[in-house]
Amino acid sequence: MRKPVRVLVVDDSALMRKLIPNILERDNSIEVVGTAMDGHFALKKIEDLSPQVVTLDLEMPGLNGIDTLKEIMRRWRLPVIVVSSHSTTGAAITLKALALGAFDFVAKPKDVSARMPEIAAELIRKIRAAAQSAGVQAQFLPAETHGVQPHKLQPVAPTRIIAIGVSTGGPNALQYLFSQLPVEFSGSILVVQHMPDGFTELFAKRLDESCPIRVKEAQSGDLLVAGRALICPGNRHMKVKKFPLGNVAIPQRGSACERTPSFGGCAVPQHSGGVWTASHGGVDDGHGRRWGCRLGRDPGGRGIHGGAEPGDMRCFWHAQGGH
């Protein structure tokens, strides 16, 4: 029998230090070995308790979450799940944490005491994935963008449409994949990433500033053009509709989105120049149904499924003809 994953919970809120362990201890594959109220206590307890995974609040007095994360990466390189506030400020600091090596994040609900159980399955899933990861990867999301600006985007029809459904470990994996694409990439990419509202816009901007291709958060009516990736807004599905001018992205809400924010189908019309899909770190929606991408019965479509490691995105890149 596999030993439970040893987890340290770090949060300055006494309520969160009670709620998170209560949630995690309902799962017999996880053992909360301790809690810490700030970064200094967290570093001491990592030495004493040897956890396999750390959940980390970022907004703490004293040694804050970002500085604590830097020390964890420098000294132990443990997988860290950030538990962040659900706000624009929270989104910005969370993306910075991902740049510094955090494995993934979970956004706290606004009404923590009443709605924390709603994120239980997501937090447990990400802790399990973090524990199974082959160690923290080198940072992929740059802490400071390098101003990589490709040539001005021309509204050229793509040679193929690539639809990617991605969950656990997705931000760094997408950064790796996009960084491998050439400036003259001729395909159009659609991404449905498991993120809440407010996070996807900042995530898309960071990718756009650090990758050879252009990246933006999708808006209804965006034309699918060569050399650009569209990130589906949080809590949406993505569909594509064919118009005389070309294929157009249509993010839309749905009941499945409410159960699994930002997950769902990426339905693409037939005869779209070859549709490729990849689901990465996929999970079910809590009702026994798998999420992913629908090919629209395109005869050129091909499905690829990977895990929660950037290495699995390398397989996807090679399948696209990369080297």
Side-chain angles (χ1 to χ4, degrees):
M1 183 177 178
R2 183 177 294 177
K3 292 182 179 179
V5 178
R6 297 170 57 82
V7 177
L8 175 68
V9 174
V10 183
D11 203 299
D12 69 322
S13 164
L15 176 61
M16 294 300 293
R17 294 197 303 275
K18 181 178 180 180
L19 287 176
I20 293 177
N22 285 346
I23 286 171
L24 298 181
E25 288 173 348
R26 296 173 191 169
D27 190 291
N28 58 16
S29 69
I30 294 174
E31 177 189 3
V32 177
V33 295
T35 63
M37 64 186 295
D38 65 24
H40 293 293
F41 280 105
L43 299 178
K44 180 68 167 62
K45 290 201 173 186
I46 290 173
E47 286 184 350
D48 295 342
L49 302 174
S50 300
Q52 295 167 269
V53 179
V54 176
T55 71
L56 180 65
D57 179 27
L58 295 179
E59 299 173 13
M60 300 185 296
L63 190 65
N64 62 39
I66 290 294
D67 291 337
T68 302
L69 177 63
K70 289 177 180 178
E71 278 299 297
I72 293 173
M73 293 298 105
R74 185 180 69 84
R75 295 164 64 177
W76 298 285
R77 299 194 70 78
L78 287 171
V80 173
I81 306 294
V82 169
V83 182
S84 64
S85 62
H86 194 156
S87 65
T88 301
T89 302
I93 195 172
T94 297
L95 289 175
K96 182 176 182 179
L98 292 173
L100 294 170
F103 179 80
D104 212 322
F105 77 95
V106 173
K108 296 177 186 176
K110 292 179 181 178
D111 184 358
V112 171
S113 58
R115 302 188 64 182
M116 194 65 187
E118 294 179 13
I119 68 165
E122 180 187 358
L123 182 57
I124 288 169
R125 181 180 74 248
K126 291 185 176 182
I127 286 173
R128 287 175 178 167
Q132 293 170 5
S133 69
V136 178
Q137 303 294 320
Q139 72 179 53
F140 296 115
L141 291 173
E144 299 295 333
T145 58
H146 302 295
V148 177
Q149 289 298 327
H151 60 281
K152 185 177 179 180
L153 188 71
Q154 300 295 326
V156 177
T159 56
R160 66 182 62 173
I161 298 171
I162 302 167
I164 303 174
V166 57
S167 177
T168 306
N172 283 337
L174 285 171
Q175 169 67 28
Y176 173 82
L177 173 63
F178 289 0
S179 71
Q180 302 303 300
L181 299 175
V183 172
E184 64 275 11
F185 181 66
S186 62
S188 180
I189 301 176
L190 302 172
V191 176
V192 182
Q193 161 71 54
H194 185 188
M195 279 188 180
D197 280 330
F199 285 73
T200 45
E201 182 180 5
L202 290 174
F203 178 54
K205 286 179 179 178
R206 184 177 287 271
L207 287 174
D208 183 64
E209 292 169 349
S210 62
C211 296
I213 65 169
R214 302 309 305 260
V215 185
K216 74 180 291 285
E217 184 183 55
Q219 294 177 302
S220 189
D222 275 338
L223 194 65
L224 272 61
V225 296
R228 183 170 72 178
L230 297 176
I231 309 293
C232 186
N235 299 321
R236 305 288 200 284
H237 290 307
M238 183 99 84
K239 287 193 174 182
V240 175
K241 192 168 182 179
K242 198 160 191 174
F243 287 94
L245 288 175
N247 291 311
V248 170
I250 306 175
Q252 57 183 210
R253 291 189 181 274
S255 58
C257 297
E258 295 166 4
R259 291 193 298 272
T260 53
S262 193
F263 281 20
C266 187
V268 182
Q270 297 185 49
H271 310 297
S272 299
V275 180
W276 295 63
T277 71
S279 54
H280 182 252
V283 296
D284 65 36
D285 63 2
H287 298 262
R289 291 183 287 271
R290 299 287 293 184
W291 66 272
C293 300
R294 297 192 296 276
L295 293 173
R297 287 181 284 185
D298 192 302
R302 175 176 174 182
I304 303 170
H305 183 274
E309 291 292 333
D312 296 301
M313 279 301 191
R314 293 189 187 99
C315 296
F316 176 80
W317 165 233
H318 288 307
Q320 299 300 308
H323 303 285

